[in-house]
Amino acid sequence: MTMAIKERMNHSNLDYSDTQPLVRDEEYPEDFDDASNIENHRHSVSKSQMTESIVIGSLNIIDSKFESLDYETCENSLEINEQTSKGYKLVVKKSLARWFIFLAIGVLTAFVGIFIDISIEELSNLKYSIIKRYMDDCSANSCLYIPFFIWTGINVITVIIGSLLVTYVEPIALGSGIPQVKCYLNGVKMPRIVRIKTLIVKTIGVISSVVGGLAGGKEGPMIHSGAVVAAGISQGKSTTLKRDFGVFSYFREDHEKRDFVSGGAAAGVAAAFGAPVGGVLFSLEEGASFWNQSLTWRIFFASIVSTFTLNIVLSAYHGHPGELTYSGLLNFGKFDSLNYELFELVLFVLMGAIGGLLGSLFNYCNYKLTVFRMRYIRAKWMKVTEAVTVAAFSASIAMLMIYYLDECNPLGQDPTKYPLQMYCADGEYNTISALWMQVPEASVRSLFHDPEGSQNMQTLFLFVLVYYLLSIWTYGLSVSAGLFIPCLLTGAAWGRLFGIGLETLFPDAAWVTPGKYALVGAAAHLGGVVRMTISLTVIMIEATGNISFGLPLMVTLITAKWVGDFFNEGLYDIHIQLSGVPLLAWEPPPLSSNVRAHAFMSYPVYTLKPIETVGHIVDLLKNTTFNGFPVTDTEHKIEPKNGNAVRGQSFGRLRGLILRSQLIVLLQNLSMFEGDVLSSDLTPHLFRNEYPRYPTIEEVHVPAEKSGCRIDLRPFMSQSPYTVSLVASLPRIFRLFRALGLRHLIVVNDYNEVVGMVTRKDLARYRVWKHRGHMGVEELRVLEKVQC
């Protein structure tokens, strides 16, 4: 196998004194002829790990603090007995409950979006009406410093509220939440991602960010909000509120919760863009690692319900009850014509290439800025200060552009509710103010539908430059805000600029409509940043309501992705890599079929006997951090501090697998045991009631007199865990692990004896990189601690 490891994004040139005592990426030998060479090199690398360090912000690490979710169903005696005793009644009950939960997910996700939308609209109307009143008065009385301070003050006050909540109360609510949801659906346990407190902070934070004038939107965070709603409803309890409603307890498992979170994310997309099919495809393309036909129907049902509920309520709120004219939070408006000529596909490809170039530059600049933040903006007060600074700068740059760009147009079909006269004549308004004196969603719509052509080329060029840089600076702030709308607005602006240029070159051409090119530019720019193709194409089609324009959008987005991927990865993937999350790709590394399990498996393996003493279980849990323990017929005690195992050593014949969480629950309920006899009161509900926040072993009190007691683990362990042979190839193990959503994969020899364990980090350690036409595989470093 050939592994060409390349220093990416000039890591080796980042010589900062602010480093961690970790491991930095190094150049590997060009050729690995067999697994033994890989193993020999890994041992040579491990000897130098104690003395090397890695610069904060590197992309070649995996943080060991991230654990995997247990997507595999535990088939132990308790579960089998429960299913057998309740029979088909339980199957029908769970099926009906799933449909009801997906219905509730759609409705509640829609109401979260409704609350956010109405709050933003009312507060924004109040904000811009005040600013307009003072601007109109002071432009004639030479007191423009008053509206400037009012604008800046409103931005600062609203942003500081959201930033304080995100920074001090729930940091996981930062940004859009899409990278975190993507990791969760991939099988990574993201702490606090689906808690109700996260939803509250996210909701308030999004409102404050948009009203505060930041270059962010509310559509992206709707995906995270839908995921939180789905996770909360499906469990029938709230650990944050410490309330258990006693329903849906049979869904308190990771693999069940995963399916509901997939539906919640899709419902969030549907509510944000009025795109139920796009929501389903988003969950499929960007998130879920597991899919089946029945799940598709349920997720589509939740998306339809979410779209329909939001449409009914918002249409009634805006005075159009029954008309259903507000299908999503982002309303592109009605396009009179989106016709195109065949030769225009060449222009769309060109725009896709521009979007890919601008998107890759966006990602690179934001990556550098994020690394700077990780190194130097660490204190919480500094994060809040940066957010406030950006809010004040946003108001300042808007005020300066309105003041100095005195381009005027007649009042008429104004693209904003609050046109400013400034130094224009009576009956005219300042055109650049139309892009700043409203929320970004409305600005996107005005660029799509501006029949009078109120913006000229110079104004649009300056706005694109300013808003592009402002978007880069804003994404990653300690606030809740999405990326979709800033990208759509920037792309719509340069797309309309592109269309105006064509209109100048071909003044009599009927096929040149700037609004059409604004739509293509918006799609190209967003696609160049996030690298979505199928789902984004369908989302844009559903948002415009014109399926005939699907081909241009698809061509544009594919081109944007190909061009952007030539230089770097999507922004979400870059931020995931910066966090050190062990994300599994869709496909295994190429040319790796000759890498066998014994080359990358973890060992030694700490095992338990079928009947084990309480004292030994407690000692094992306290001295190791592993979450799964094979149960073998013989026990091999390895000292965790100085493990004396060698590769290929047998640790006993496999009998089953038991999880740390199961052992914790057993130790909590020792009163139900009499010697080795299990009380009949012990049921699967005891394990479900503790889900998902199992206590740590330090929080469990085990009486000293119980240390010598023995527990029969056989009723609780999975009696037939998945195993692979010692000579199984890396691609085969990867596909098995990825498709089944495994957390542990036991490696056995020819005698069914345990010799190793494959976990997510063992597989995620091998990552494919692509850069400027080159391709290779790099081996990441698994780090015990990463300071961010």
Side-chain angles (χ1 to χ4, degrees), residues 27 67 475 573:
E27 201 72 23
E67 299 180 3
Y475 189 77
D573 292 325

Side-chain angles (χ1 to χ4, degrees), residues 536-693:
L536 186 55
T537 300
V538 176
I539 287 172
M540 298 295 288
I541 290 173
E542 292 185 281
T544 57
N546 193 322
I547 194 172
S548 64
F549 207 66
L551 179 60
L553 291 173
M554 183 182 301
V555 169
T556 302
L557 288 169
I558 290 177
T559 305
K561 175 177 171 57
W562 286 349
V563 173
D565 285 344
F566 184 79
F567 297 100
N568 52 32
E569 298 182 73
L571 189 61
Y572 295 147
D573 292 325
I574 291 175
H575 280 259
I576 289 172
Q577 292 174 15
L578 283 172
S579 301
V581 179
L583 192 76
L584 291 182
W586 285 104
E587 296 292 336
L591 306 177
S592 59
S593 297
N594 61 335
V595 181
R596 306 300 177 180
H598 63 80
F600 58 88
M601 68 182 185
S602 297
Y603 73 98
V605 181
Y606 299 92
T607 63
L608 293 169
K609 294 183 294 186
I611 299 178
E612 193 59 82
T613 62
V614 171
H616 178 63
I617 294 175
V618 173
D619 290 340
L620 185 63
L621 295 180
K622 286 184 176 180
N623 292 316
T624 65
T625 58
F626 303 122
N627 289 283
F629 302 94
V631 179
T632 59
D633 52 5
T634 57
E635 177 187 356
H636 290 259
K637 294 186 177 180
I638 307 294
E639 292 296 330
K641 295 182 180 179
N642 58 359
N644 54 5
V646 296
R647 183 171 293 274
Q649 174 184 340
S650 169
F651 301 98
R653 186 168 297 174
L654 181 65
R655 299 289 300 278
L657 176 71
I658 193 163
L659 303 177
R660 171 181 286 266
S661 58
Q662 294 173 310
L663 295 173
I664 291 289
V665 174
L666 291 177
L667 294 177
Q668 280 185 307
N669 295 274
L670 287 178
S671 59
M672 294 188 176
F673 290 90
E674 296 179 2
D676 296 334
V677 180
L678 178 62
S679 171
S680 60
D681 295 333
L682 200 58
T683 65
H685 292 289
L686 284 176
F687 298 89
R688 295 168 184 162
N689 290 339
E690 296 294 334
Y691 179 84
R693 301 186 199 176

Side-chain angles (χ1 to χ4, degrees), residues 753-773:
E753 294 173 336
V754 178
V755 294
M757 183 86 78
V758 177
T759 63
R760 168 179 291 270
K761 296 181 181 68
D762 296 320
L763 295 174
R765 196 170 66 234
Y766 299 99
R767 186 169 68 201
V768 178
W769 61 263
K770 300 176 183 178
H771 187 62
R772 295 183 182 178

Side-chain angles (χ1 to χ4, degrees), residues 234-312:
S234 63
Q235 302 304 292
K237 70 173 183 179
S238 171
T239 50
T240 301
L241 302 177
K242 298 180 180 180
R243 290 291 304 274
D244 189 340
F245 300 98
V247 294
F248 308 138
S249 61
Y250 34 79
F251 292 139
R252 294 174 187 175
E253 297 173 344
D254 283 339
H255 71 281
E256 294 281 4
K257 193 174 182 180
R258 167 202 60 197
D259 293 346
F260 292 116
V261 171
S262 299
V269 174
F273 298 97
V277 178
V280 176
L281 292 175
F282 175 86
S283 287
L284 177 60
E285 180 183 10
E286 291 295 314
S289 57
F290 175 83
W291 206 265
N292 60 34
Q293 184 178 10
S294 60
L295 183 60
T296 304
W297 276 109
R298 287 193 292 266
I299 290 181
F300 183 61
F301 174 67
S303 300
I304 286 288
V305 170
S306 179
T307 304
F308 187 68
T309 303
L310 184 137
N311 205 337
I312 289 177

Side-chain angles (χ1 to χ4, degrees), residues 8-257:
R8 299 162 58 197
M9 295 191 175
N10 298 324
H11 288 168
S12 59
N13 297 329
L14 298 177
D15 186 15
Y16 292 87
S17 58
D18 185 13
T19 59
Q20 297 295 331
L22 302 173
V23 190
R24 59 175 167 79
D25 188 21
E26 61 175 326
E27 201 72 23
Y28 273 70
E30 285 297 327
D31 294 312
F32 289 112
D33 294 330
D34 53 35
S36 62
N37 288 338
I38 295 178
E39 179 57 29
N40 292 335
H41 184 72
R42 287 178 59 191
H43 281 303
S44 66
V45 171
S46 63
K47 293 178 182 179
S48 61
Q49 288 183 358
M50 301 302 295
T51 59
E52 296 183 353
S53 60
I54 188 170
V55 178
I56 294 178
S58 294
L59 299 173
N60 55 355
I61 60 172
I62 293 178
D63 193 347
S64 61
K65 72 180 181 181
F66 292 105
E67 299 180 3
S68 296
L69 295 167
D70 294 307
Y71 283 167
E72 179 190 359
T73 304
C74 181
E75 294 183 351
N76 57 23
S77 299
L78 296 183
E79 294 286 343
I80 294 173
N81 292 338
E82 181 186 53
Q83 295 177 13
T84 304
S85 62
K86 295 187 177 181
Y88 286 104
K89 286 185 178 180
L90 180 62
V91 176
V92 175
K93 181 180 179 181
K94 292 175 70 173
S95 180
L96 293 176
R98 286 191 183 96
W99 283 101
F100 175 79
I101 291 173
F102 276 102
L103 172 66
I105 289 171
V107 172
L108 292 183
T109 300
F111 273 102
V112 171
I114 291 166
F115 175 77
I116 292 175
D117 186 71
I118 293 178
S119 299
I120 289 176
E121 181 175 352
E122 295 298 330
L123 292 175
S124 296
N125 286 340
L126 178 62
K127 168 188 173 180
Y128 292 120
S129 63
I130 294 174
I131 294 173
K132 174 178 168 55
R133 184 170 70 251
Y134 280 93
M135 290 278 277
D136 289 342
D137 292 341
C138 289
S139 60
N141 299 321
S142 300
C143 58
L144 286 177
Y145 64 90
I146 295 179
F148 168 72
F149 284 120
I150 292 175
W151 197 338
T152 305
I154 293 175
N155 279 16
V156 167
I157 292 173
T158 52
V159 168
I160 199 172
I161 295 173
S163 184
L164 286 172
L165 287 173
V166 170
T167 306
Y168 288 92
V169 179
E170 201 57 84
I172 196 67
L174 181 146
S176 65
I178 294 178
Q180 292 84 351
V181 173
K182 181 177 180 178
C183 293
Y184 181 91
L185 294 177
N186 189 263
V188 181
K189 182 182 292 185
M190 305 297 292
R192 312 180 69 87
I193 185 177
V194 289
R195 295 189 181 182
I196 189 172
K197 186 163 66 173
T198 304
L199 177 62
I200 295 173
V201 173
K202 175 75 75 173
T203 301
I204 299 175
V206 168
I207 295 172
S208 69
S209 298
V210 178
V211 176
L214 295 180
K218 57 182 179 289
E219 284 69 20
M222 278 302 302
I223 299 170
H224 188 186
S225 300
V228 179
V229 169
I233 295 175
S234 63
Q235 302 304 292
K237 70 173 183 179
S238 171
T239 50
T240 301
L241 302 177
K242 298 180 180 180
R243 290 291 304 274
D244 189 340
F245 300 98
V247 294
F248 308 138
S249 61
Y250 34 79
F251 292 139
R252 294 174 187 175
E253 297 173 344
D254 283 339
H255 71 281
E256 294 281 4
K257 193 174 182 180

